């Protein structure tokens, strides 16, 4: 048994050495040189932040920290390299007990094919360092292809470098997808941010972006989607095709009563005709048995209906009540979604969004 363990360790060591040698043979370029997808604001404190720097003063500290997470941001590029590697530096080295480290602070590569976007591989983060690197794919044909690299969902990045074969070409994408002229701003909770997807490309906004060909701006803030007016004011600066509001799980019924109408009116004043979709909470699986949770969700729904009633004359305001997914086989912990749950949620939201986004 001892000999078998030593042999296995030796095999792993050899594999790691080979991977290190492979990545050292690549040439690296800063991801900033290419198209950045899903970054709504340019005037950010750090390049890969999700909110403008002006929001920081007066913002709750936990919300601001979450805004430095790179959820939904991706890098679009084109290359003829047979190998693609990546180096990325995270800011916090976050860990959570109910979400994979690949989803929290890993990267996720997709390739555009005749059948749409196809997953290639994910980059595993280091367990010991904020500095990460890895070869995502090798031994490909030397042909030009379009790629999209998603950044971490629950950590920020200070630097991202993309590696290709020496002498290979890496350049701006030649195909304008996801379309920048068609975008959706998603405001919401930990679920909107991506908890608990196994990898970065599997949060529902990114699935929808790939399936429906629009740029998704992910403004999900775990535990902190509480209809803060300064967030509405920042969102009103954007000019999306649709606003998608999914804040209910982070709000009490009282918060919805006191804040939701004013929050929406800030956006509506800046964008009189832009469709605004407001979603009630999805039906948490425990609520079919937990009477207190069920009562709380029902109280929130009552307040959400009042908000919808307030905007009933607004022909571009839409309210949809919550749904359940996969016969309640959708969550990690009774609330946050698995990849199975995220795919089901995306399929449900796709039916709602397609009414407001032209194909």
């Amino acid at each position: 048994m001892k000999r078998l363990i030593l042999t296995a360790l030796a095999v792993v060591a050899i594999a790691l050495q080979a991977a290190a040698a492979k990545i050292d043979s690549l040439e690296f370029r800063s991801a900033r040189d290419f198209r950045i997808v899903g970054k709504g604001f340019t005037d950010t404190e750090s390049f890969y932040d999700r909110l403008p720097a002006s929001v920081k003063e007066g913002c709750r500290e936990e919300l601001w920290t979450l805004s430095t997470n790179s959820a939904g941001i991706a890098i679009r590029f084109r290359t003829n390299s047979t190998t693609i590697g990546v180096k990325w530096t995270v800011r916090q080295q976050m860990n959570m007990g109910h979400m994979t480290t690949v989803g929290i602070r890993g990267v996720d590569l997709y390739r555009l094919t005749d059948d749409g976007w196809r997953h290639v591989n994910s980059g595993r983060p280091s367990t010991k360092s904020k500095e990460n690197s890895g070869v995502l794919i090798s031994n490909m044909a030397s042909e030009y292809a379009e790629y999209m690299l998603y950044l971490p969902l629950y950590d920020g990045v200070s630097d991202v470098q993309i590696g290709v074969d020496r002498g290979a070409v890496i350049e701006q994408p030649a195909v304008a997808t996801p379309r920048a002229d068609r975008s959706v701003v998603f405001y919401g909770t930990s679920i909107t941010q991506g908890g608990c997807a196994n990898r970065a490309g599997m949060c529902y906004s990114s699935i929808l972006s790939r399936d429906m060909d629009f740029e998704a701006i992910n403004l999900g803030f775990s535990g902190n989607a509480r209809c803060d007016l300064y967030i509405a004011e920042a969102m009103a600066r954007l000019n999306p095709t649709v606003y998608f509001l999914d804040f209910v799980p982070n709000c009490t019924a009282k918060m919805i009563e006191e804040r939701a109408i004013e929050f929406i009116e800030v956006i509506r004043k800046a964008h009189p005709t832009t469709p605004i979709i407001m979603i009630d909470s999805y039906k948490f699986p425990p609520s079919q048995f937990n009477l207190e949770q069920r009562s709380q969700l029902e109280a929130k729904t009552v307040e959400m209906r009042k908000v919808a009633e307030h905007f009933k004359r607004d022909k571009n305001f839409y309210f949809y009540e919550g749904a359940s997914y996969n016969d309640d086989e959708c969550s990690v912990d009774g609330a946050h979604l698995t990849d199975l749950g995220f795919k089901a949620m995306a399929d449900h939201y796709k039916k709602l969004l397609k009414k407001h986004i032209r194909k």
Side-chain angles (χ1 to χ4, degrees):
M1 179 63 73
K2 186 175 181 180
R3 178 177 292 180
L4 288 174
I5 293 172
L6 291 173
T7 301
L9 291 173
V11 170
V12 170
I14 291 170
L16 290 173
Q17 290 173 358
K22 185 67 174 178
I23 201 163
D24 287 343
S25 71
L26 302 179
E27 293 181 332
F28 283 84
R29 288 269 303 275
S30 172
R32 297 190 190 193
D33 294 343
F34 307 105
R35 180 187 168 192
I36 309 298
V37 174
K39 187 174 184 287
F41 303 95
T42 58
D43 53 338
T44 53
E45 185 176 72
S46 181
F47 184 80
Y48 294 106
D49 286 357
R50 293 183 294 144
L51 286 178
S54 58
V55 172
K56 186 175 183 178
E57 184 177 355
C59 182
R60 293 195 310 279
E61 182 179 356
E62 62 271 27
L63 196 161
W64 179 256
T65 299
L66 290 163
S67 78
T68 68
N69 297 165
S70 51
I73 297 177
I75 317 300
R76 278 283 285 111
F77 61 95
R78 177 178 184 256
T79 184
N80 63 350
S81 180
T82 66
T83 302
I84 297 175
V86 62
K87 296 179 180 179
W88 73 105
T89 304
V90 296
R91 296 170 66 176
Q92 300 154 2
Q93 203 169 16
M94 275 287 293
N95 287 290
M96 295 188 288
H98 61 333
M99 186 171 175
T100 68
T101 53
V102 174
I104 295 170
R105 45 193 170 87
V107 294
D108 205 9
L109 184 67
Y110 279 75
R111 175 167 166 161
L112 188 61
T113 72
D114 291 341
D115 297 320
W117 288 103
R118 291 292 178 265
H119 185 242
V120 177
N121 199 4
S122 301
R124 295 185 182 184
S126 169
T127 60
K128 299 178 180 179
S129 172
K130 293 181 179 180
E131 305 286 337
N132 307 277
S133 64
V135 172
L136 299 181
I137 185 70
S138 59
N139 301 311
M140 294 189 294
S142 181
E143 58 188 10
Y144 281 101
E146 303 276 331
Y147 296 92
M148 183 153 55
L149 180 72
Y150 287 99
L151 303 185
L153 292 170
Y154 266 80
D155 208 327
V157 289
S158 57
D159 185 57
V160 182
Q161 304 279 330
I162 299 171
V164 296
D165 298 329
R166 294 188 185 278
V169 174
I170 180 170
E171 59 190 9
Q172 293 289 347
V175 181
T177 184
R179 286 176 52 173
D181 63 342
R182 189 163 61 181
S183 62
V184 179
V185 171
F186 293 89
Y187 171 67
T189 67
S190 53
I191 294 170
T192 300
Q193 185 170 341
C196 291
N198 280 346
R199 48 187 177 81
M202 284 304 292
C203 64
Y204 75 76
S205 61
S206 294
I207 296 172
L208 288 166
S209 171
R210 294 191 300 274
D211 286 354
M212 300 183 72
D213 194 22
F214 63 74
E215 187 163 358
I217 311 299
N218 186 322
L219 296 181
F221 305 110
S222 182
N224 281 273
R226 302 176 191 169
C227 293
D228 300 284
L229 289 185
Y230 51 83
I231 298 298
E233 290 164 358
M235 290 169 62
R237 289 176 45 190
L238 302 173
N239 189 31
T241 309
V242 177
Y243 284 100
F244 194 94
L245 311 180
D246 191 8
F247 54 78
V248 175
N250 286 170
C251 289
T252 63
K254 189 69 171 175
M255 286 180 184
I256 296 169
E257 177 188 8
E258 294 177 346
R259 304 180 184 185
I261 290 174
E262 189 175 3
F263 183 92
I264 295 165
E265 285 180 338
V266 168
I267 297 171
R268 176 52 80 221
K269 183 178 179 181
H271 302 277
T273 60
T274 300
I276 298 175
I277 297 174
M278 184 179 73
I279 301 292
D280 201 358
S281 175
Y282 98 91
K283 299 185 186 303
F284 297 141
S287 66
Q288 59 187 319
F289 310 112
N290 185 321
L291 300 182
E292 181 178 356
Q293 185 183 57
R294 187 192 308 174
S295 176
Q296 291 173 351
L297 290 173
E298 289 171 350
K300 294 180 186 185
T301 298
V302 168
E303 295 303 326
M304 291 291 278
R305 288 171 179 162
K306 291 178 183 178
V307 175
E309 179 67 17
H310 178 86
F311 290 101
K312 68 179 181 180
R313 294 184 179 179
D314 186 335
K315 295 181 179 179
N316 293 302
F317 181 87
Y318 307 90
F319 171 58
Y320 297 101
E321 296 199 5
S324 57
Y325 303 115
N326 296 322
D327 297 322
D328 299 314
E329 294 284 2
C330 61
S331 79
V332 174
D333 54 5
H336 301 92
L337 298 176
T338 62
D339 288 358
L340 183 68
F342 272 121
K343 184 62 170 66
M345 179 175 276
D347 288 344
H348 177 66
Y349 288 167
K350 184 176 181 178
K351 295 174 185 177
L352 310 183
L353 276 167
K354 69 180 180 181
K355 301 175 184 178
H356 313 292
I357 298 180
R358 291 184 178 180
K359 294 246 177 185

